[in-house]
Amino acid sequence: MPNSTRVSEFLLSGFSDVWELRVLHTMLFSLMYLATLTGNLLIVTVITVDQRLHTPMYFFILNLSVWDMCYISVTVPKACVIFLLNNRVISIVGCAAQIFLVFFCVYAELLLLTIMARDRYVAICQPLHYHVIMTPRVCVQMTLASVLSGLVYSGLHTGNTFRLSFCHSNVVHQFFCDIPSLLKLSCSDILANEIVIFVSLMIVGGGCFSFITMSYIHIFSTVLKFPTRAERSKAFSTCVPHILIVIVFLGSGAAVYLKPTSNSPRIQDMVISVFYCIVPPFLNPVIYTLRNKQIKEAIRQVMRRTLTSFRKTLIISTHSYLDCRR
């Protein structure tokens, strides 16, 4: 190992050192963050309030929205602090926590997307057995299994990363702590880490992608046999949002983690990471609300009830105020 001081903290990076661009990046990230929180919180509220949406499909969409809010909250608030205040320092413990939470959220979301593909397969290809197979108990068990296994998966990668020594530099060329950027700073042999990352991603990511692909092959072959165009359109409308999210999520994640550690410029890595950790949570509520008639109708009803309650409260408050004045 070279004679150099062991790293005790890391410095994260922004997209630019120019103040005006840093302010612009802060505004863009903040707007996407607030829009993501608002959209996903609206979906969670609507699905919770509307009894008609208490079905397995919407149960998984609700869980996906919760994970999206957690996922984007791990990276974006800290990134905004970096951009605006130029406060780039993050402790080793904070960096480890960020990596753990990012991997935890990614793993849980990926398994949830796979479970959702299974739900769509059963609903379309085995509709008579749907309520027997996708019972509330089974849905909760699958969700808990993804969470518990996610703890093990993220703990494995976090521990495997921070057993290394970091002494080349403490500047992470990324706006959050991620494993590929940290491996570039290590003065230890990282071959074992790269093998573990590649093998685990191929097993988990490749396995989930294969399962989702096979599910949709069966789904589309079944849908194309439906007698009417209306039935085919309804079936496709429940599948297209899920497919879009899977493509963006897996495609950007593979671009970050399955390329050689030493290659590609840092700005390119950072831009790809935006598609990997910010765009999917941002797109989820947009895609699901625009493509799903039941959610749109439920949102309208919730908005009508809210406005009605607000008007009643305002009228009562006004009358009470006038009575007091008299």
Side-chain angles (χ1 to χ4, degrees):
M1 188 169 70
N3 293 326
S4 55
T5 305
R6 190 178 173 88
V7 171
S8 59
E9 62 184 19
F10 295 104
L11 298 177
L12 301 176
S13 303
F15 287 90
S16 174
D17 293 327
V18 179
W19 165 248
E20 290 79 5
L21 291 177
R22 282 165 45 198
V23 172
L24 177 62
H25 296 152
T26 304
M27 291 176 61
L28 290 174
F29 271 52
S30 298
L31 288 173
M32 291 184 73
Y33 181 61
L34 292 174
T36 301
L37 290 185
T38 303
N40 283 292
L41 189 60
L42 180 62
I43 288 178
V44 170
T45 304
V46 166
I47 294 176
T48 303
V49 170
D50 196 326
Q51 295 289 330
R52 296 173 302 171
L53 301 182
H54 290 185
T55 63
M57 183 179 79
Y58 294 105
F59 171 77
F60 295 131
I61 291 176
L62 183 148
N63 278 275
L64 187 64
S65 293
V66 171
W67 281 113
D68 282 337
M69 290 188 286
C70 296
Y71 183 25
I72 198 169
S73 297
V74 174
T75 57
V76 172
K78 179 63 178 177
C80 290
V81 172
I82 296 169
F83 300 154
L84 190 61
L85 304 179
N86 204 29
N87 183 6
R88 301 166 56 199
V89 177
I90 185 169
S91 65
I92 287 184
V93 174
C95 191
Q98 205 170 45
I99 285 178
F100 178 86
L101 292 172
V102 165
F103 264 74
F104 183 35
C105 292
V106 167
Y107 180 91
E109 283 211 29
L110 182 56
L111 257 65
L112 192 58
L113 289 169
T114 307
I115 293 169
M116 291 171 73
R118 165 70 175 172
D119 173 71
R120 291 298 83 210
Y121 166 77
V122 176
I124 293 173
C125 300
Q126 299 176 328
L128 298 179
H129 300 96
Y130 182 75
H131 294 290
V132 176
I133 297 174
M134 302 300 294
T135 63
R137 182 178 179 180
V138 169
C139 295
V140 172
Q141 286 176 343
M142 288 192 294
T143 304
L144 288 177
S146 66
V147 172
L148 295 176
S149 57
L151 291 172
V152 176
Y153 184 81
S154 54
L156 168 68
H157 283 289
T158 305
N160 198 36
T161 300
F162 283 90
R163 70 175 178 79
L164 302 173
S165 298
F166 301 96
C167 53
H168 287 165
S169 171
N170 69 336
V171 179
V172 180
H173 295 300
Q174 188 61 272
F175 60 88
F176 67 99
C177 281
D178 71 336
I179 291 178
S181 298
L182 287 180
L183 292 182
K184 295 177 183 179
L185 308 180
S186 176
C187 48
S188 304
D189 184 7
I190 63 171
L191 179 60
N193 292 71
E194 292 182 322
I195 291 174
V196 169
I197 289 173
F198 180 80
V199 171
S200 65
L201 287 180
M202 290 305 296
I203 292 173
V204 177
C208 290
F209 179 74
S210 299
F211 185 88
I212 292 170
T213 302
M214 292 303 298
S215 297
Y216 276 107
I217 289 174
H218 289 295
I219 287 171
F220 290 149
S221 62
T222 302
V223 169
L224 292 175
K225 296 176 184 176
F226 285 179
T228 64
R229 185 175 179 180
E231 289 179 316
R232 291 195 294 269
S233 298
K234 183 179 179 181
F236 280 127
S237 68
T238 64
C239 298
V240 169
H242 183 256
I243 294 172
L244 292 175
I245 294 300
V246 169
I247 291 172
V248 173
F249 193 65
L250 285 179
S252 55
V256 172
Y257 284 93
L258 293 183
K259 62 178 177 50
T261 303
S262 57
N263 293 343
S264 80
R266 73 180 185 94
I267 291 296
Q268 179 182 324
D269 286 345
M270 293 173 71
V271 171
I272 294 174
S273 294
V274 170
F275 284 92
Y276 163 64
C277 66
I278 297 177
V279 172
F282 174 75
L283 285 181
N284 275 356
V286 176
I287 291 174
Y288 278 113
T289 52
L290 290 180
R291 298 285 306 182
N292 193 297
K293 293 181 180 179
Q294 286 182 288
I295 289 184
K296 287 192 288 187
E297 180 58 32
I299 290 174
R300 292 192 196 100
Q301 289 191 4
V302 169
M303 295 299 291
R304 281 197 293 266
R305 290 174 190 170
T306 304
L307 288 173
T308 302
S309 300
F310 177 75
R311 288 193 192 113
K312 289 181 180 178
T313 304
L314 185 62
I315 291 170
I316 293 171
S317 300
T318 304
H319 287 166
S320 300
Y321 174 76
L322 293 175
D323 290 340
C324 291
R325 295 283 292 176
R326 288 170 188 166

